[in-house]
Amino acid sequence: MRPWTTLGLALLAAALISSGAARGAPGAQGASPLAQQGARWAADPAVGDCGICHHLPGHDPRDQGTIGPSLSGVGLRLDEDALRALLMDARALRPGTVMPTYGRPATGPRIPPTLQGKPLLPAHVREAIVAWLTTLGHG
Ligand code: HEC
């Protein structure tokens, strides 16, 4: 095989692997479809974007934040109700945290008109992310 063909195949393989990581599939292997959707939404910069502050297991490590704790094993540390409450209103549970309030309606002069009165993440998105978080055990 010519060298450039080998290189091309290597690049293709790398692209396929990294696109799988970006979709969040590896972190949610064997998980329910809801949890897999939650993994994708958590990582998606246009939706949860949780990786801006957290290490998200199963996602590309080059694109991960360190402002918050790693979410590895969070499903062992916190139960489903605690995770749901945290995604509803992190500041009510952890006063002074920089984690945004995702579930309460956003109001105020600095909220864009399109988001006024709406939560940053709608309930169905938060539920999917909670389903994913509960799967995060070891690793
Ligand atoms: C602006 C940064 C920031 C963003 C964005 C953010 N978080 Fe957090 N998060 C934090 C910080 C900081 C903490 C630690 C809170 C504390 O204890 O003070 C935290 C804590 C948590 C915890 C509890 C972890 C533990 O071990 O106790 C979970 C779960 C969590 N975040 C999930 C999420 C999810 C899911 C998203 C995306 C929807 C998200 N976070 C977005 C900053 C962030």
Side-chain angles (χ1 to χ4, degrees):
M1 206 181 278
R2 290 183 194 182
W4 61 264
T5 315
T6 313
L7 177 64
L9 287 174
L11 288 173
L12 180 64
L16 288 173
I17 291 164
S18 67
S19 68
R23 282 199 310 273
Q29 256 165 19
S32 69
L34 184 67
Q36 292 184 31
Q37 180 64 63
R40 288 189 290 270
W41 274 335
D44 189 337
V47 189
D49 207 9
C50 315
I52 203 166
C53 288
H54 291 285
H55 169 76
L56 308 182
H59 292 86
D60 190 335
R62 291 167 300 183
D63 194 23
Q64 313 244 336
T66 53
I67 292 170
S70 167
L71 297 184
S72 286
V74 77
L76 301 175
R77 295 194 292 277
L78 298 171
D79 69 15
E80 189 179 331
D81 287 343
L83 291 166
R84 185 173 287 117
L86 201 62
L87 276 194
M88 167 62 79
D89 191 345
R91 284 170 189 170
L93 296 168
R94 315 262 177 111
T97 187
V98 294
M99 179 155 157
T101 300
Y102 286 109
R104 303 226 180 270
T107 50
R110 299 168 107 177
I111 305 293
T114 50
L115 284 179
Q116 286 282 354
K118 295 178 190 158
L120 286 180
L121 293 178
H124 71 283
V125 172
R126 298 197 311 274
E127 277 305 303
I129 293 177
V130 167
W132 172 61
L133 292 171
T134 62
T135 70
L136 297 180
H138 307 281

